[in-house]
Amino acid sequence: MARRSGVNSQTGELVQIQMLPGFEEPPPPKKPPVSYSWRGRHVNVSKEMGAAVWRADSGFDQKDRDVLGFYLFNTKRGGPGVETRIEMTFDEIGDVLGMNPRAVSKSVRKLHQHGFLLEAGKIAKVVFYRLNARFAYDGGAEDQVKAVADMRHPVVPVGEAQPAASRPRRPRPAKVRPSKEVQ
């Protein structure tokens, strides 16, 4: 539909424009989602919780952080009702990370205990885990709101108070007192 002026330019009077049903302009087409990446996808991660995990006094060691990073960067895209688990055994994860499978198991157990990893299913005796969407989510914001509706919050253990580091005392040189010799 062509655009018309609302004023008659010769007489200066206002012109009433009537819209007939069916002649409205269609809404503009929705734009496809913009990809902000040159390569791959981005994940929405809680920087506050991530920083807490990486602190020296967090109670998590480097192996725990490696396993958490593995789950963070290897989880598939989520969505409504989509399970985002990693279907790998601890042996397979250990091979990728160069870790002993027992160390992987210990780290997964600790991360699960603190709520960063959640159980996501079982095949025979193998339990699969996924990231807690309250910590990290690969998908749209609306889907994340739905995904976290019944999830618990991850907990970073409070580090024990460390005593203030004091420098070791240097031995003081012995004071040499003049001897009192009797003459």
Side-chain angles (χ1 to χ4, degrees):
M1 176 178 240
R3 193 166 223 206
R4 295 186 286 171
S5 174
V7 177
N8 184 336
S9 59
Q10 294 175 351
T11 63
E13 70 179 296
L14 294 174
V15 179
Q16 182 177 1
I17 301 174
Q18 294 180 348
M19 301 299 287
L20 299 173
F23 288 100
E24 296 91 15
E25 290 186 37
K30 288 187 174 183
K31 294 180 182 178
V34 178
S35 176
Y36 296 102
S37 173
W38 291 280
R39 295 179 129 176
R41 297 183 320 272
H42 288 91
V43 178
N44 181 15
V45 180
S46 168
K47 288 181 76 170
E48 183 179 324
M49 281 189 259
V53 169
W54 263 261
R55 275 196 335 255
D57 66 344
S58 69
F60 294 104
D61 61 16
Q62 188 59 47
K63 291 178 182 179
D64 301 331
R65 291 188 282 271
D66 287 347
V67 170
L68 184 59
F70 178 82
Y71 274 86
L72 179 63
F73 296 117
N74 289 285
T75 300
K76 305 287 187 255
R77 183 178 185 92
V82 175
E83 201 60 53
T84 57
R85 69 187 184 192
I86 293 181
E87 294 188 355
M88 294 175 74
T89 64
F90 295 151
D91 289 333
E92 294 168 330
I93 294 172
D95 288 342
V96 172
L97 295 177
M99 289 173 59
N100 184 321
R102 288 184 181 168
V104 173
S105 173
K106 182 180 173 186
S107 292
V108 167
R109 189 173 33 249
K110 185 188 277 187
L111 292 166
H112 173 64
Q113 176 185 1
H114 289 89
F116 287 94
L117 296 180
L118 304 175
E119 284 190 23
K122 204 177 202 183
I123 296 178
K125 292 183 178 183
V126 179
V127 179
F128 297 111
Y129 293 89
R130 64 185 168 106
L131 280 171
N132 186 334
R134 290 189 184 273
F135 170 65
Y137 188 77
D138 186 359
E142 295 86 16
D143 297 336
Q144 185 177 13
V145 170
K146 293 174 189 171
V148 300
D150 60 346
M151 287 186 182
R152 68 184 211 184
H153 289 274
V155 177
V156 178
V158 177
E160 293 182 19
Q162 299 291 328
S166 61
R167 295 192 323 201
R169 292 185 179 190
R170 287 190 287 165
R172 293 184 182 172
K175 291 186 181 180
V176 179
R177 295 186 178 161
S179 62
K180 295 183 182 179
E181 292 182 19
V182 178
Q183 295 188 14

